[in-house]
Amino acid sequence: MSERKIIDARGTYCPGPLMELIAGMKQIEVGDELEVLSTDEGSVSDVPEWINKVGHEMVETTQEGDVWHIVVRKAK
Amino acid sequence: MKILIVGGGMGGTIVANNLARRLERELRSGKAQITMLSASERHMYQPGLLYTSIGRLAPDELYRDQRSLLEPEIEFHVDPVETFDLDNNQVVTKSGKTHGYDQLVIATGSRAAPETIPGLAENSVNCYSEAAALEMLRQVRDFKGGTVGIVVGVPHKCPMIPLEVTFVLHDYFKEKGIADKVQFQYTYPIGRIHALAPVAEWATGEFAKLGINTTTLFNMKEVDGNKIVHSEEGETVDAELLVAVPPHRGMEVIEKNKLGGNGFIPTDRHSLLMEGRDNVYIVGDTTNLPISKAGSTAHFEAETVAENLAALIKFGTTVRDYDGKVFCFIEAGKERATYAMFDYNNPPAPKAPNKAVHWFKMAYNQLYWASARGLL
Ligand SMILES: Cc1cc2nc3c(=O)[nH]c(=O)nc-3n(C[C@H](O)[C@H](O)[C@H](O)COP(=O)(O)OP(=O)(O)OC[C@H]3O[C@@H](n4cnc5c(N)ncnc54)[C@H](O)[C@@H]3O)c2cc1C
């Protein structure tokens, strides 16, 4: 069964949610998911941009208050 | 109360000295005891390595004797920990000694791990250890011209290094009179040239003035023998001199003891307690927190942990949360600098660079030792 790991990057600016996600992807297996919590609206566009460029999969993006939950799946 | 601090770098040293001052009476009466275990009898000023790598700071100037930085009441042993037995509140060291504790602080830092990217260690230089900085100096001195590639792995220690190493090398080749023979190809993992948006914006303008080429969304996958770097995004960078900010990991002892993936220990972002433990605090690069791996982070975390450990004795409870505070100097060239300060609730808003901040940063290179002693 695939696993989901959470990276709580709320209120963090450096390295920031995308760089944390890139580092996190190296630590999970193909098929597993990462959920990034971000308070930076920029993550809503810059995460899919990277995911699509590398060839991983976007699972979903939801907003709860001022926190975005961005879920991605490692595809290769 | 027995307090054991593992790691005598920036974080561990500030926790120990700050605590020793707060608990002066308790240490004298025997009500508290502070022990530090470290892997070296010397303390390195790591930011100096950047200048060692271009021959501006001699290796011996990077070090102070660790004992001389510690308050006398602190018991100090150079005897690295090999086993963490957290269920029994004890650690076992290389020499075979067992040290028990009531409260444990782990601050063993992080290390560059170029070997985790195929071909990177063999084909690049970096400034993340004394040996690496000296090898970088040798190759930089011998460089006659061509492309300098800057490649950046994640996570890495000190977020300013990718920009700083580029500016420093640019100045170096200009002074040497070969700037017209050197091209720079700077790469960065995300879609701008620095993590902090205002810094990226400023640096983009500076790079344009200096003619430095940039490629963003570039994450190293492998490096072949011709110093061609292939990225996960399907692009390549071809360089005659490859300067790496290698991906980092925590120390092997953390991985071996299964305290955290890649050697980074799961840590509560406010209490700085190791997840699932109520008497193990994590400070500095060793945490898995998504914040800058920098001396200032270790410093602010250490102050929080020291205040709380002292409060456990004096109040019977902790009194403060870590607020995510980070402070970074940003060298802007031409003897100008600025700084960025931010925490979990306040984004950075750096001001325009000026000379005063640059001179303060220069003074800080010396003030570091006062800071480690807990005097700043
Ligand atoms: C080139 C360079 C430039 C930098 N520039 C800056 C800068 O400008 N500003 C900034 O804020 N930060 C900068 N940093 C980062 C800063 O130096 C680190 O983030 C900081 O030192 C982290 O502190 P720490 O206490 O977590 O780890 P460290 O200071 O690395 O200390 C780790 C300690 O743990 C000990 N240890 C290791 N293993 C064991 C073991 N098994 N048992 C016991 N002890 C052990 C080590 O001997 C060491 O004493 C820079 C770093 C480098 C390399």
Side-chain angles (χ1 to χ4, degrees):
Chain A
M1 222 190 79
S2 74
E3 286 189 19
R4 184 181 286 188
K5 218 182 120 190
I6 294 178
I7 295 176
D8 182 357
R10 288 173 299 153
T12 67
Y13 307 96
C14 185
L18 177 57
M19 206 118 70
E20 288 298 329
L21 178 135
I22 294 171
M25 284 302 246
K26 288 201 220 168
Q27 287 193 50
I28 63 171
E29 303 294 325
V30 171
D32 285 351
E33 294 176 354
L34 264 188
E35 175 173 349
V36 179
L37 276 49
S38 173
T39 42
D40 174 3
E41 195 174 356
S43 302
V44 177
S45 54
D46 67 16
V47 170
E49 184 190 4
W50 183 75
I51 289 290
N52 294 332
K53 194 160 183 194
V54 175
H56 296 305
E57 288 164 28
M58 287 299 298
V59 177
E60 61 176 4
T61 302
T62 51
Q63 186 179 359
E64 265 176 43
D66 56 2
V67 180
W68 280 270
H69 296 248
I70 305 169
V71 184
V72 305
R73 186 179 299 118
K74 182 161 171 158
K76 54 185 204 178
Chain B
M1 180 188 281
K2 277 176 118 175
I3 300 165
L4 180 64
I5 299 167
V6 179
M10 188 69 188
T13 304
I14 293 177
V15 172
N17 283 330
N18 190 310
L19 252 182
R21 290 213 184 87
R22 289 174 188 275
L23 296 178
E24 214 183 316
R25 236 176 302 141
E26 289 80 357
L27 288 169
R28 238 183 293 129
S29 70
K31 200 173 160 200
Q33 195 186 322
I34 305 173
T35 305
M36 172 181 281
L37 299 172
S38 192
S40 170
E41 74 285 0
R42 296 189 301 172
H43 186 125
M44 183 199 270
Y45 175 58
Q46 297 180 31
L49 285 168
L50 177 61
Y51 301 94
T52 301
S53 73
I54 53 159
R56 298 285 185 272
L57 192 65
D60 61 352
E61 291 177 67
L62 297 169
Y63 297 98
R64 292 280 191 281
D65 174 45
Q66 173 65 10
R67 175 72 262 181
S68 76
L69 298 174
L70 294 173
E71 291 289 325
E73 300 80 12
I74 298 162
E75 190 182 315
F76 174 60
H77 304 283
V78 181
D79 193 6
V81 170
E82 292 198 334
T83 307
F84 287 90
D85 181 3
L86 303 184
D87 290 336
N88 293 305
N89 293 338
Q90 62 183 29
V91 304
V92 183
T93 63
K94 193 173 173 194
S95 74
K97 287 206 182 71
T98 299
H99 292 261
Y101 60 82
D102 298 305
Q103 301 288 334
L104 174 68
V105 179
I106 305 179
T108 44
S110 64
R111 66 193 162 100
E115 67 281 2
T116 55
I117 293 182
L120 185 65
E122 304 85 307
N123 294 297
S124 67
V125 292
N126 72 74
C127 63
Y128 277 93
S129 68
E130 183 186 329
L134 292 175
E135 175 57 22
M136 177 164 159
L137 170 63
R138 201 184 59 71
Q139 294 199 25
V140 165
R141 269 194 63 87
D142 290 350
F143 190 62
K144 302 278 182 300
T147 301
V148 178
I150 312 283
V151 283
V152 181
V154 287
H156 56 261
K157 170 153 74 172
C158 188
M160 290 305 156
I161 288 286
L163 292 177
E164 282 183 345
V165 78
T166 309
F167 285 125
V168 159
L169 286 175
H170 188 277
D171 281 356
Y172 179 91
F173 293 125
K174 194 170 162 200
E175 261 177 47
K176 211 176 164 189
I178 59 167
D180 55 333
K181 296 195 185 70
V182 180
Q183 298 84 44
F184 277 85
Q185 180 60 54
Y186 175 96
T187 70
Y188 203 68
I190 61 169
R192 54 178 181 254
I193 68 171
H194 191 264
L196 294 171
V199 174
E201 197 180 316
W202 159 80
T204 300
E206 297 292 314
F207 275 13
K209 276 187 242 161
L210 300 174
I212 294 170
N213 298 320
T214 61
T215 306
T216 53
L217 291 177
F218 190 96
N219 288 280
M220 288 178 273
K221 189 165 145 202
E222 58 183 350
V223 186
D224 70 29
N226 298 319
K227 293 196 169 66
I228 300 176
V229 189
H230 301 265
S231 79
E232 288 186 34
E233 293 80 5
E235 290 176 67
T236 55
V237 158
D238 195 340
E240 276 75 41
L241 176 64
L242 196 58
V243 180
V245 177
H248 277 58
R249 297 177 85 118
M251 302 314 274
E252 268 174 54
V253 66
I254 305 297
E255 292 188 60
K256 274 198 196 133
N257 282 270
K258 298 199 168 45
L259 300 187
N262 279 4
F264 298 116
I265 304 176
T267 305
D268 182 88
R269 54 170 27 210
H270 295 297
S271 69
L272 300 175
L273 278 166
M274 176 176 175
E275 278 177 16
R277 301 276 164 183
D278 60 9
N279 66 341
V280 182
Y281 289 86
I282 315 297
V283 169
D285 291 355
T286 317
T287 76
N288 74 336
L289 295 176
I291 53 179
S292 311
K293 295 201 180 300
S296 72
T297 309
H299 184 146
F300 295 128
E301 289 175 348
E303 287 182 343
T304 307
V305 167
E307 186 172 345
N308 280 336
L309 286 173
L312 282 176
I313 294 178
K314 291 173 188 277
F315 294 79
T317 175
T318 60
V319 290
R320 179 146 97 88
D321 276 347
Y322 175 59
D323 60 1
K325 191 161 151 197
V326 178
F327 174 100
C328 283
F329 283 112
I330 304 163
E331 278 291 350
K334 296 189 202 117
E335 297 184 350
R336 291 167 311 142
T338 180
Y339 61 87
M341 188 148 77
F342 44 97
D343 58 39
Y344 293 143
N345 296 313
N346 298 292
K351 303 203 169 57
N354 64 41
K355 294 211 174 207
V357 179
H358 168 75
W359 292 115
F360 184 73
K361 161 94 205 264
M362 291 293 106
Y364 184 78
N365 291 341
Q366 291 307 316
L367 289 176
Y368 173 86
W369 301 110
S371 166
R373 286 188 180 97
L375 300 174
L376 274 183

